[in-house]
Amino acid sequence: MRDLNYNHLRYFWAVVHAGGLTRAAAMMNLSQSALSVQIQKLEHQIGHPLFERAGRKLVLTEAGRIALDYADTVFKAGEELMSTLRGQPLATRQVLRVGALTTLSRNFQLEFLRPW
């Protein structure tokens, strides 16, 4: 089993949240080509393309949407960890557990539970 490279995941996450390679590269002080190579390495590592090109725009694939959901969770948990250890918890944490049939797709379940 291959280990996930969290630096590559961070680059992917930054590209999505910045709205593109150019903006993310500028924010991270990287060249656009270097950032693109890191994304390609992540795609190779997980075995799925994360983006499709639509003209000059990058659009998330289904695998990209799933990866983004996990990346959001991972990096949000990291923020919470750091703020808690600094003695400044972000908020009171509440847990909601929802049961669902395994035949329902994960994306359907997430979309169903997503706040309006």
Side-chain angles (χ1 to χ4, degrees):
M1 180 176 181
R2 296 178 261 175
D3 291 333
L4 178 65
N5 184 318
Y6 287 94
N7 288 324
H8 294 163
L9 187 64
R10 169 74 73 180
Y11 295 141
F12 161 74
W13 183 79
V15 168
V16 174
H17 285 285
L21 276 169
T22 305
R23 282 192 214 130
M27 288 171 35
M28 301 179 89
N29 286 331
L30 294 170
S31 70
Q32 187 174 341
S33 61
L35 190 54
S36 180
V37 167
Q38 300 305 309
I39 300 295
Q40 289 171 0
K41 286 182 180 182
L42 177 62
E43 289 175 329
H44 178 72
Q45 188 177 24
I46 64 174
H48 295 279
L50 299 171
F51 295 104
E52 293 175 342
R53 285 229 175 253
R56 294 182 54 119
K57 199 167 185 148
L58 292 175
V59 178
L60 286 173
T61 62
E62 182 64 20
R65 286 189 287 278
I66 292 168
L68 178 61
D69 182 50
Y70 277 100
D72 284 339
T73 301
V74 166
F75 296 123
K76 177 70 174 167
E79 281 180 40
E80 289 176 4
L81 170 65
M82 294 305 292
S83 66
T84 298
L85 293 176
R86 282 190 220 111
Q88 305 164 339
L90 293 175
T92 304
R93 189 174 186 142
Q94 296 179 345
V95 176
L96 170 67
R97 287 186 170 61
V98 177
L101 297 172
T102 57
T103 54
L104 291 175
S105 79
R106 183 174 187 280
N107 289 338
F108 172 81
Q109 294 173 40
L110 290 173
E111 196 59 39
F112 180 77
L113 295 173
R114 193 174 309 277
W116 294 84

